[in-house]
Amino acid sequence: MTATTNWVANGASLEDCHANLFSLAELTGIKWRRYNFDGHGDCGPIISAPAQDDPILLSFIRCLQANLLCVWRRDVKPNCKELWIFWWGDEPNLADVIHRELHMVEEGLWENGLSYECRTLLFKAIHNLLERCLMDKNFIRIGKWFIRPYEKDEKPVNKSEHLSCAFTFFLHGESNVCTSVEIAQHQPIYLINEEYIHMAQSSLTPFQGNYVFLYYTFRQGCVTFSLPGATLKIRLIS
């Protein structure tokens, strides 16, 4: 390969760049479908409905479990949602993942053009896939950052194993999806378990350092976290 074909006009080649930029996917040949709920005026159940009772969210969970590139979003209508699925090559078997009450309202091909809206949702779908992979590696997400908590008795000595990362996506050229990875070092984070709660309740002196303890209760399949002036209830599903 000659230097002329290997380098772009500004003298930099993405594949030769040893930095925080990575090429993730080629858009050529991509296909997609958009689904919404075939009932209640094309809207799914209300936002507060449990995931197992929401056809959009249930289908989204199934797609993630099947390693499909997918994303759901709220529509412009109040309490409405829609599901987008992306793939390359042969069409995946969607019969086992798409809820029977969902209705396909749009499908597209790369050859017909990729709108800005569709490209933005594809970036979110890729972010969902990265998030799932990092969660499997014991990372947690706080805002835009993915952070690996310390183990209970682990001391914050080798901080290089607990670097935080965040992703920004962009299009290089006409069809190359890339990501810029931002690396940072945050304060050590530990997952709070029942033992920490008992320690806080039985301690005669205040804990030293920047600690935040949440009071929680568990009843009827829900976990309730309480802070001064705020309460968050999470419904657990199997």
Side-chain angles (χ1 to χ4, degrees):
M1 181 178 292
T2 65
T4 304
T5 58
N6 191 40
W7 294 89
V8 294
N10 62 359
S13 175
L14 186 63
E15 59 268 23
D16 294 333
C17 183
H18 299 281
N20 62 335
L21 303 179
F22 298 90
S23 177
L24 296 180
E26 174 69 32
L27 291 182
T28 304
I30 194 172
K31 305 172 185 177
W32 66 89
R33 284 184 181 175
R34 177 167 65 95
Y35 293 86
N36 64 15
F37 185 59
D38 194 18
H40 300 288
D42 294 336
C43 297
I46 59 175
I47 293 296
S48 59
Q52 67 268 28
D53 296 334
D54 189 311
I56 292 288
L57 297 184
L58 180 59
S59 299
F60 173 71
I61 293 172
R62 291 174 178 174
C63 287
L64 288 180
Q65 293 171 344
N67 292 321
L68 295 176
L69 203 57
C70 60
V71 62
W72 74 271
R73 70 167 183 176
R74 295 185 179 93
D75 201 352
V76 293
K77 303 175 183 178
N79 296 332
C80 295
K81 312 182 194 73
E82 56 186 27
L83 174 69
W84 291 65
I85 301 177
F86 302 87
W87 74 90
W88 286 263
D90 297 333
E91 179 182 332
N93 181 14
L94 302 177
D96 295 332
V97 296
I98 298 299
H99 194 279
R100 64 182 183 277
E101 295 183 84
L102 295 191
H103 175 65
M104 186 185 70
V105 294
E106 180 186 355
E107 60 180 343
L109 304 172
W110 165 255
E111 291 77 7
N112 297 333
L114 191 69
S115 66
Y116 175 79
E117 175 190 42
C118 188
R119 186 168 69 245
T120 301
L121 290 171
L122 173 63
F123 290 169
K124 291 182 179 181
I126 295 175
H127 193 273
N128 287 339
L129 183 61
L130 289 173
E131 179 175 359
R132 182 173 174 84
C133 293
L134 289 172
M135 293 295 185
D136 290 339
K137 299 296 183 180
N138 299 322
F139 281 78
I140 62 172
R141 181 178 176 183
I142 301 179
K144 72 172 185 177
W145 293 101
F146 292 95
I147 303 173
R148 176 179 288 173
Y150 284 80
E151 299 296 333
K152 174 186 173 184
D153 299 322
E154 185 179 2
K155 301 299 181 182
V157 177
N158 189 3
K159 296 183 178 181
S160 63
E161 296 182 358
H162 294 271
L163 293 176
S164 309
C165 57
F167 303 93
T168 302
F169 300 97
F170 63 95
L171 201 60
H172 178 71
E174 295 183 355
S175 60
N176 196 5
V177 178
C178 302
T179 183
S180 171
V181 182
E182 185 178 356
I183 304 297
Q185 180 72 64
H186 287 88
Q187 292 293 326
I189 292 179
Y190 297 83
L191 293 179
I192 296 178
N193 55 30
E194 188 174 355
E195 182 178 354
Y196 283 106
I197 303 297
H198 291 325
M199 289 173 57
Q201 293 175 337
S202 59
S203 176
L204 299 179
T205 59
F207 277 75
Q208 300 297 320
N210 297 323
Y211 293 93
V212 176
F213 287 95
L214 303 179
Y215 174 78
Y216 74 95
T217 58
F218 177 81
R219 187 175 64 177
Q220 295 179 350
C222 293
V223 178
T224 300
F225 296 93
S226 298
L227 284 170
T231 300
L232 173 64
K233 178 176 288 188
I234 301 176
R235 183 180 297 274
L236 302 181
I237 63 174
S238 58

